[in-house]
Amino acid sequence: MVQLDVLRGIAILLVLGSHYVIGPKQAGWLRIPATLLARFGWTGVDLFFVLSGFLVGGLLMRELRLYGKLDVRRFLIRRGFKIWPIYYLYLLVLGIMMLAGVSRPPEPLYQLLSPNLVHLQNYNIWHMPYDGSPIAGHTWSLAVEEHFYLLLPLLLLFIGRSGKRGLAWIPWIAIGLDVICLALRLRLTGEPYRPWTQQTPTHLRIDSLFTGVLLAYWYHFQPEFFARLTRHRLILVVCGLLLVSPMAVLPLEEKPFVSTYGFTLLSVGYACLLLACVSTPIGEGRMGHWFASRTARALAAVGAFSYSIYIWHIDLVTIPIQRLVKFGLLSGLPSSARWIVLTLAYSLAAILVGGVLGWLCERPTLLLRDALFPSRSDALGLQTGGIEAPESLPDR
């Protein structure tokens, strides 16, 4: 779906903006927009969370509707084919680069990479002395998603035993997780900010993913309510932008509001924007015509490789260019022009590297996955023309 790929494209561009190669203080007269981008860019991960919750939740719920049961084994295998090949290839390449002294200190290699091998890199259980740039630190969000992939199908299996009546608990579960995660984050108020304490743990961030699951539930099991909710798309867009905008001016590391209430605002705000986008027909109205534009198609093309771009951009693009900047790359240019040129070059290089490696690694494994374990459903029911009445799931 073009609209969702556009959102993926926006999300990865935001992330690239937060992992800049030249700081806002060196942007000359562009310092203000550079600062806003650097401060706000990390929220692209929250947009990814809401998107993942909506799409993965949609896959599982539509399977429940069509067959009345879940094939959890097939789901986990298909997720593994999607996530693991390129991820473990990245860890292998990173380990080789570290041993060769090309990227990051090589010792202690096992201690540095072992959390990533078991998807616990979002918890500081190794009590490592982070210096602000942990090894493969950007993969913390993948650990949160891996935990979500295990939790959601088990939860749906449990509550789905009661049929549609059991699934009606999903809104209450999503709201409950919002409250619980917010309460757990508020307990940390007053402590010095550390990413592995306030930002990355699964038990503090999984509410964003379940916000997406809630949208998927409405889409598949309450289509009339979903239609009413998305009737006024402009209001959804305005509300979404208002809810996420504070994070553009409030530094995550300095303002406890961001790492507490801010995460909640982001999940709800990005949910509003997702609702507006997914309900917009291509070619209808201003938003629909924009989704049919070349700009939207370019963003969708970037979004199609967003996972690969996210995996590779730090070690193959950001760090090498930062080293060149330290040696005076383009130092003869005015500050603002240098920031523009380096930011554009870095973004294009990250997209190119991610796209090429995604084409070489991700695409073949997905083709193999679909040949060995064909999908039993798609997240939005587009293969059968959209939302159909749930017939297979009993109402017990």
Side-chain angles (χ1 to χ4, degrees), residues 103-265:
S103 177
R104 320 283 184 109
E107 64 276 351
L109 181 59
Y110 173 78
Q111 185 181 14
L112 292 175
L113 287 181
S114 52
N116 297 78
L117 297 175
V118 293
H119 305 294
L120 290 175
Q121 64 268 29
N122 61 327
Y123 286 95
N124 190 25
I125 61 174
W126 269 250
H127 303 290
M128 292 175 56
Y130 285 110
D131 61 356
S133 56
I135 299 301
H138 65 293
T139 65
W140 69 268
S141 62
L142 303 182
V144 176
E145 297 218 18
E146 286 291 324
H147 304 159
F148 169 71
Y149 298 151
L150 290 174
L151 176 61
L152 181 61
L154 295 178
L155 174 65
L156 292 179
L157 274 179
F158 178 73
I159 64 176
R161 293 183 302 177
S162 301
K164 288 181 287 184
R165 186 181 305 170
L167 293 176
W169 279 96
I170 288 176
W172 299 106
I173 292 171
I175 294 171
L177 282 174
D178 280 336
V179 174
I180 292 171
C181 289
L182 176 58
L184 291 173
R185 294 194 293 260
L186 287 171
R187 288 187 60 191
L188 299 172
T189 303
E191 293 189 15
Y193 174 81
R194 298 182 183 89
W196 59 91
T197 300
Q198 282 98 335
Q199 184 183 9
T200 66
T202 300
H203 64 278
L204 302 181
R205 305 308 310 277
I206 203 166
D207 53 333
S208 295
L209 286 145
F210 269 85
T211 297
V213 173
L214 174 60
L215 304 186
Y217 169 76
W218 287 335
Y219 184 94
H220 286 279
F221 287 99
Q222 295 187 352
E224 297 85 4
F225 177 73
F226 188 89
R228 291 198 303 270
L229 195 63
T230 57
R231 188 173 300 160
H232 303 288
R233 291 190 289 272
L234 180 59
I235 294 177
L236 287 171
V237 171
V238 172
C239 289
L241 293 176
L242 287 176
L243 288 170
V244 304
S245 60
M247 273 49 77
V249 294
L250 299 176
L252 171 63
E253 299 83 0
E254 300 173 15
K255 301 296 183 181
F257 173 86
V258 178
S259 58
T260 52
Y261 297 103
F263 290 160
T264 301
L265 294 181

Side-chain angles (χ1 to χ4, degrees), residues 247-299:
M247 273 49 77
V249 294
L250 299 176
L252 171 63
E253 299 83 0
E254 300 173 15
K255 301 296 183 181
F257 173 86
V258 178
S259 58
T260 52
Y261 297 103
F263 290 160
T264 301
L265 294 181
L266 285 171
S267 65
V268 178
Y270 279 134
C272 290
L273 295 176
L274 189 154
L275 285 171
C277 291
V278 79
S279 62
T280 299
I282 300 295
E284 294 186 16
R286 291 184 179 180
M287 283 184 62
H289 280 96
W290 183 81
F291 278 121
S293 68
R294 292 181 179 179
T295 302
R297 291 199 298 270
L299 273 175

